[in-house]
Amino acid sequence: MKLAELLNERKRLKTDIDRLKERLILACQMQEGDPAPSEDPEQLLNELGNIHLDLCRFINKINRTNQTIKHEGEPLASMLARRNQYQALADFLHKLAETATPKQERYSQKEIRFVPTIRISYLRGLANDYGNKARTLDNIIQNLNWTTDIEEEV
């Protein structure tokens, strides 16, 4: 099994958990006088617990693999953290540049005019640089995900 397949399976389990929670919420009440709920809430709770145990096993395996696999000496886990950092910085800088960009909100010369206190082109350039770093790193990460074999059975 490839690491990417394990990640897809983790995503599927999370989706299953969300759907099971919705079913459980619907099954935990019924109209007075109805013979039985549409589904057995206790059975759904047990199923939810079992899926959570599976998810925990998958996450532990993914985390161990992310610590073990290295690219140019750097663990995959560190690369993931760095990619997330770059993406968060890029997103914030784009938002900051958008906020600093003057808008045509004045209807007359007497209204207060807001002006930027930072060079917007500088912010956008910095945001683009971080975005490019995040995408480049993500390409490496995706390649590792599809070429890394998981040795142990999950």
Side-chain angles (χ1 to χ4, degrees):
M1 176 182 267
K2 300 287 185 193
L3 178 56
E5 293 171 309
L6 194 61
L7 294 168
N8 285 335
E9 187 63 19
R10 178 188 65 182
K11 181 180 178 182
R12 185 194 61 78
L13 286 171
K14 286 181 175 184
T15 301
D16 289 352
I17 286 170
D18 290 340
R19 289 182 180 148
L20 199 53
K21 285 178 181 178
E22 290 172 13
R23 289 170 51 202
L24 190 53
I25 288 169
L26 292 173
C28 73
Q29 284 186 344
M30 65 178 207
Q31 191 171 354
E32 186 178 7
D34 281 354
S38 57
E39 294 185 86
D40 181 6
E42 290 179 11
Q43 180 183 350
L44 293 175
L45 264 177
N46 287 336
E47 190 177 339
L48 182 64
N50 290 336
I51 293 175
H52 269 287
L53 288 174
D54 289 343
L55 179 62
C56 187
R57 287 184 17 242
F58 274 80
I59 290 171
N60 285 332
K61 182 62 180 164
I62 291 166
N63 289 344
R64 281 193 303 274
T65 302
N66 288 346
Q67 286 297 333
T68 305
I69 301 304
K70 294 184 184 338
H71 175 76
E72 296 179 358
E74 182 180 14
L76 181 54
S78 296
M79 294 172 66
L80 291 165
R82 199 159 41 98
R83 180 202 56 194
N84 293 346
Q85 174 195 15
Y86 290 156
Q87 192 58 57
L89 284 168
D91 292 345
F92 173 73
L93 291 169
H94 279 298
K95 183 174 179 161
L96 186 60
E98 183 64 30
T99 301
T101 301
K103 300 180 182 48
Q104 299 298 327
E105 295 175 342
R106 294 179 358 155
Y107 298 102
S108 72
Q109 295 291 351
K110 294 180 182 180
E111 292 188 48
I112 297 173
R113 180 176 159 219
F114 291 94
V115 295
T117 59
I118 192 166
R119 285 182 303 131
I120 296 166
S121 60
Y122 170 74
L123 286 178
R124 292 199 190 282
L126 203 54
N128 289 338
D129 288 346
Y130 279 118
N132 287 336
K133 287 179 181 180
R135 281 187 295 281
T136 300
L137 203 48
D138 192 56
N139 288 337
I140 295 168
I141 290 167
Q142 292 302 321
N143 183 44
L144 288 172
N145 286 345
W146 283 105
T147 57
T148 300
D149 288 313
I150 304 298
E151 294 176 13
E152 299 174 30
E153 187 61 31
V154 177

PDB file of all heavy atoms in Angstrom, residues 13-30:
ATOM      1  N   LEU A  13     -12.454   7.399   6.095  1.00  0.00           N
ATOM      2  CA  LEU A  13     -12.898   7.131   7.464  1.00  0.00           C
ATOM      3  C   LEU A  13     -13.467   8.394   8.111  1.00  0.00           C
ATOM      4  O   LEU A  13     -14.479   8.328   8.821  1.00  0.00           O
ATOM      5  CB  LEU A  13     -11.736   6.585   8.303  1.00  0.00           C
ATOM      6  CG  LEU A  13     -11.330   5.144   8.009  1.00  0.00           C
ATOM      7  CD1 LEU A  13     -10.041   4.794   8.749  1.00  0.00           C
ATOM      8  CD2 LEU A  13     -12.444   4.178   8.373  1.00  0.00           C
ATOM      9  N   LYS A  14     -12.841   9.540   7.874  1.00  0.00           N
ATOM     10  CA  LYS A  14     -13.362  10.794   8.431  1.00  0.00           C
ATOM     11  C   LYS A  14     -14.738  11.116   7.866  1.00  0.00           C
ATOM     12  O   LYS A  14     -15.628  11.569   8.594  1.00  0.00           O
ATOM     13  CB  LYS A  14     -12.394  11.944   8.141  1.00  0.00           C
ATOM     14  CG  LYS A  14     -11.145  11.912   8.991  1.00  0.00           C
ATOM     15  CD  LYS A  14     -10.245  13.085   8.671  1.00  0.00           C
ATOM     16  CE  LYS A  14      -9.054  13.159   9.591  1.00  0.00           C
ATOM     17  NZ  LYS A  14      -8.230  14.360   9.322  1.00  0.00           N
ATOM     18  N   THR A  15     -14.926  10.855   6.576  1.00  0.00           N
ATOM     19  CA  THR A  15     -16.241  11.062   5.950  1.00  0.00           C
ATOM     20  C   THR A  15     -17.264  10.107   6.552  1.00  0.00           C
ATOM     21  O   THR A  15     -18.396  10.508   6.859  1.00  0.00           O
ATOM     22  CB  THR A  15     -16.145  10.851   4.427  1.00  0.00           C
ATOM     23  OG1 THR A  15     -15.198  11.777   3.896  1.00  0.00           O
ATOM     24  CG2 THR A  15     -17.487  11.059   3.752  1.00  0.00           C
ATOM     25  N   ASP A  16     -16.873   8.843   6.739  1.00  0.00           N
ATOM     26  CA  ASP A  16     -17.766   7.864   7.359  1.00  0.00           C
ATOM     27  C   ASP A  16     -18.164   8.295   8.767  1.00  0.00           C
ATOM     28  O   ASP A  16     -19.330   8.148   9.169  1.00  0.00           O
ATOM     29  CB  ASP A  16     -17.115   6.478   7.418  1.00  0.00           C
ATOM     30  CG  ASP A  16     -16.993   5.818   6.052  1.00  0.00           C
ATOM     31  OD1 ASP A  16     -17.541   6.353   5.068  1.00  0.00           O
ATOM     32  OD2 ASP A  16     -16.308   4.768   5.971  1.00  0.00           O
ATOM     33  N   ILE A  17     -17.215   8.830   9.514  1.00  0.00           N
ATOM     34  CA  ILE A  17     -17.496   9.300  10.881  1.00  0.00           C
ATOM     35  C   ILE A  17     -18.511  10.437  10.852  1.00  0.00           C
ATOM     36  O   ILE A  17     -19.472  10.448  11.627  1.00  0.00           O
ATOM     37  CB  ILE A  17     -16.194   9.714  11.594  1.00  0.00           C
ATOM     38  CG1 ILE A  17     -15.404   8.468  11.976  1.00  0.00           C
ATOM     39  CG2 ILE A  17     -16.483  10.581  12.823  1.00  0.00           C
ATOM     40  CD1 ILE A  17     -13.997   8.743  12.479  1.00  0.00           C
ATOM     41  N   ASP A  18     -18.326  11.384   9.950  1.00  0.00           N
ATOM     42  CA  ASP A  18     -19.263  12.509   9.851  1.00  0.00           C
ATOM     43  C   ASP A  18     -20.678  12.027   9.509  1.00  0.00           C
ATOM     44  O   ASP A  18     -21.656  12.474  10.105  1.00  0.00           O
ATOM     45  CB  ASP A  18     -18.790  13.520   8.800  1.00  0.00           C
ATOM     46  CG  ASP A  18     -17.554  14.287   9.239  1.00  0.00           C
ATOM     47  OD1 ASP A  18     -17.268  14.330  10.456  1.00  0.00           O
ATOM     48  OD2 ASP A  18     -16.871  14.855   8.361  1.00  0.00           O
ATOM     49  N   ARG A  19     -20.774  11.107   8.577  1.00  0.00           N
ATOM     50  CA  ARG A  19     -22.096  10.579   8.189  1.00  0.00           C
ATOM     51  C   ARG A  19     -22.736   9.786   9.327  1.00  0.00           C
ATOM     52  O   ARG A  19     -23.943   9.873   9.561  1.00  0.00           O
ATOM     53  CB  ARG A  19     -21.962   9.715   6.944  1.00  0.00           C
ATOM     54  CG  ARG A  19     -21.674  10.527   5.708  1.00  0.00           C
ATOM     55  CD  ARG A  19     -21.597   9.683   4.478  1.00  0.00           C
ATOM     56  NE  ARG A  19     -21.313  10.517   3.322  1.00  0.00           N
ATOM     57  CZ  ARG A  19     -20.627  10.122   2.279  1.00  0.00           C
ATOM     58  NH1 ARG A  19     -20.167   8.887   2.208  1.00  0.00           N
ATOM     59  NH2 ARG A  19     -20.401  10.940   1.273  1.00  0.00           N
ATOM     60  N   LEU A  20     -21.919   9.024  10.019  1.00  0.00           N
ATOM     61  CA  LEU A  20     -22.432   8.238  11.144  1.00  0.00           C
ATOM     62  C   LEU A  20     -22.922   9.145  12.271  1.00  0.00           C
ATOM     63  O   LEU A  20     -23.943   8.868  12.903  1.00  0.00           O
ATOM     64  CB  LEU A  20     -21.340   7.286  11.638  1.00  0.00           C
ATOM     65  CG  LEU A  20     -21.760   6.102  12.468  1.00  0.00           C
ATOM     66  CD1 LEU A  20     -22.842   5.286  11.775  1.00  0.00           C
ATOM     67  CD2 LEU A  20     -20.558   5.220  12.755  1.00  0.00           C
ATOM     68  N   LYS A  21     -22.227  10.232  12.513  1.00  0.00           N
ATOM     69  CA  LYS A  21     -22.665  11.199  13.528  1.00  0.00           C
ATOM     70  C   LYS A  21     -24.028  11.780  13.169  1.00  0.00           C
ATOM     71  O   LYS A  21     -24.899  11.922  14.038  1.00  0.00           O
ATOM     72  CB  LYS A  21     -21.641  12.333  13.668  1.00  0.00           C
ATOM     73  CG  LYS A  21     -20.392  11.948  14.409  1.00  0.00           C
ATOM     74  CD  LYS A  21     -19.438  13.142  14.439  1.00  0.00           C
ATOM     75  CE  LYS A  21     -18.151  12.829  15.147  1.00  0.00           C
ATOM     76  NZ  LYS A  21     -17.223  13.981  15.118  1.00  0.00           N
ATOM     77  N   GLU A  22     -24.223  12.108  11.892  1.00  0.00           N
ATOM     78  CA  GLU A  22     -25.518  12.633  11.454  1.00  0.00           C
ATOM     79  C   GLU A  22     -26.622  11.611  11.673  1.00  0.00           C
ATOM     80  O   GLU A  22     -27.706  11.951  12.149  1.00  0.00           O
ATOM     81  CB  GLU A  22     -25.450  13.030   9.977  1.00  0.00           C
ATOM     82  CG  GLU A  22     -24.596  14.244   9.701  1.00  0.00           C
ATOM     83  CD  GLU A  22     -24.396  14.505   8.213  1.00  0.00           C
ATOM     84  OE1 GLU A  22     -25.121  13.895   7.390  1.00  0.00           O
ATOM     85  OE2 GLU A  22     -23.516  15.318   7.877  1.00  0.00           O
ATOM     86  N   ARG A  23     -26.346  10.366  11.321  1.00  0.00           N
ATOM     87  CA  ARG A  23     -27.335   9.300  11.518  1.00  0.00           C
ATOM     88  C   ARG A  23     -27.640   9.119  12.997  1.00  0.00           C
ATOM     89  O   ARG A  23     -28.798   8.897  13.386  1.00  0.00           O
ATOM     90  CB  ARG A  23     -26.831   7.993  10.916  1.00  0.00           C
ATOM     91  CG  ARG A  23     -26.814   8.007   9.402  1.00  0.00           C
ATOM     92  CD  ARG A  23     -26.099   6.813   8.802  1.00  0.00           C
ATOM     93  NE  ARG A  23     -26.530   5.530   9.318  1.00  0.00           N
ATOM     94  CZ  ARG A  23     -25.776   4.430   9.264  1.00  0.00           C
ATOM     95  NH1 ARG A  23     -24.573   4.453   8.702  1.00  0.00           N
ATOM     96  NH2 ARG A  23     -26.231   3.296   9.751  1.00  0.00           N
ATOM     97  N   LEU A  24     -26.627   9.197  13.825  1.00  0.00           N
ATOM     98  CA  LEU A  24     -26.796   9.017  15.262  1.00  0.00           C
ATOM     99  C   LEU A  24     -27.638  10.145  15.854  1.00  0.00           C
ATOM    100  O   LEU A  24     -28.515   9.901  16.695  1.00  0.00           O
ATOM    101  CB  LEU A  24     -25.427   8.948  15.940  1.00  0.00           C
ATOM    102  CG  LEU A  24     -25.371   8.526  17.394  1.00  0.00           C
ATOM    103  CD1 LEU A  24     -26.099   7.210  17.609  1.00  0.00           C
ATOM    104  CD2 LEU A  24     -23.940   8.398  17.836  1.00  0.00           C
ATOM    105  N   ILE A  25     -27.402  11.356  15.400  1.00  0.00           N
ATOM    106  CA  ILE A  25     -28.197  12.493  15.880  1.00  0.00           C
ATOM    107  C   ILE A  25     -29.670  12.300  15.522  1.00  0.00           C
ATOM    108  O   ILE A  25     -30.558  12.552  16.336  1.00  0.00           O
ATOM    109  CB  ILE A  25     -27.639  13.818  15.317  1.00  0.00           C
ATOM    110  CG1 ILE A  25     -26.310  14.147  16.011  1.00  0.00           C
ATOM    111  CG2 ILE A  25     -28.633  14.963  15.470  1.00  0.00           C
ATOM    112  CD1 ILE A  25     -25.532  15.278  15.379  1.00  0.00           C
ATOM    113  N   LEU A  26     -29.935  11.823  14.314  1.00  0.00           N
ATOM    114  CA  LEU A  26     -31.319  11.572  13.897  1.00  0.00           C
ATOM    115  C   LEU A  26     -31.952  10.429  14.677  1.00  0.00           C
ATOM    116  O   LEU A  26     -33.158  10.443  14.955  1.00  0.00           O
ATOM    117  CB  LEU A  26     -31.377  11.276  12.394  1.00  0.00           C
ATOM    118  CG  LEU A  26     -31.050  12.432  11.459  1.00  0.00           C
ATOM    119  CD1 LEU A  26     -30.978  11.948  10.015  1.00  0.00           C
ATOM    120  CD2 LEU A  26     -32.078  13.547  11.608  1.00  0.00           C
ATOM    121  N   ALA A  27     -31.147   9.432  15.036  1.00  0.00           N
ATOM    122  CA  ALA A  27     -31.681   8.240  15.703  1.00  0.00           C
ATOM    123  C   ALA A  27     -31.808   8.401  17.214  1.00  0.00           C
ATOM    124  O   ALA A  27     -32.430   7.552  17.871  1.00  0.00           O
ATOM    125  CB  ALA A  27     -30.805   7.031  15.389  1.00  0.00           C
ATOM    126  N   CYS A  28     -31.273   9.461  17.779  1.00  0.00           N
ATOM    127  CA  CYS A  28     -31.280   9.570  19.242  1.00  0.00           C
ATOM    128  C   CYS A  28     -32.601  10.091  19.789  1.00  0.00           C
ATOM    129  O   CYS A  28     -32.801  10.112  21.000  1.00  0.00           O
ATOM    130  CB  CYS A  28     -30.105  10.414  19.734  1.00  0.00           C
ATOM    131  SG  CYS A  28     -30.278  12.167  19.429  1.00  0.00           S
ATOM    132  N   GLN A  29     -33.516  10.492  18.904  1.00  0.00           N
ATOM    133  CA  GLN A  29     -34.855  10.882  19.332  1.00  0.00           C
ATOM    134  C   GLN A  29     -35.868  10.302  18.348  1.00  0.00           C
ATOM    135  O   GLN A  29     -35.552  10.098  17.172  1.00  0.00           O
ATOM    136  CB  GLN A  29     -35.017  12.408  19.325  1.00  0.00           C
ATOM    137  CG  GLN A  29     -34.368  13.106  20.467  1.00  0.00           C
ATOM    138  CD  GLN A  29     -34.724  14.597  20.452  1.00  0.00           C
ATOM    139  OE1 GLN A  29     -35.187  15.137  19.457  1.00  0.00           O
ATOM    140  NE2 GLN A  29     -34.513  15.244  21.582  1.00  0.00           N
ATOM    141  N   MET A  30     -37.055  10.091  18.878  1.00  0.00           N
ATOM    142  CA  MET A  30     -38.138   9.665  17.999  1.00  0.00           C
ATOM    143  C   MET A  30     -39.429  10.244  18.543  1.00  0.00           C
ATOM    144  O   MET A  30     -39.504  10.658  19.706  1.00  0.00           O
ATOM    145  CB  MET A  30     -38.218   8.149  17.896  1.00  0.00           C
ATOM    146  CG  MET A  30     -38.576   7.434  19.171  1.00  0.00           C
ATOM    147  SD  MET A  30     -38.669   5.680  18.868  1.00  0.00           S
ATOM    148  CE  MET A  30     -39.808   5.212  20.138  1.00  0.00           C
TER     149      MET A  30
END
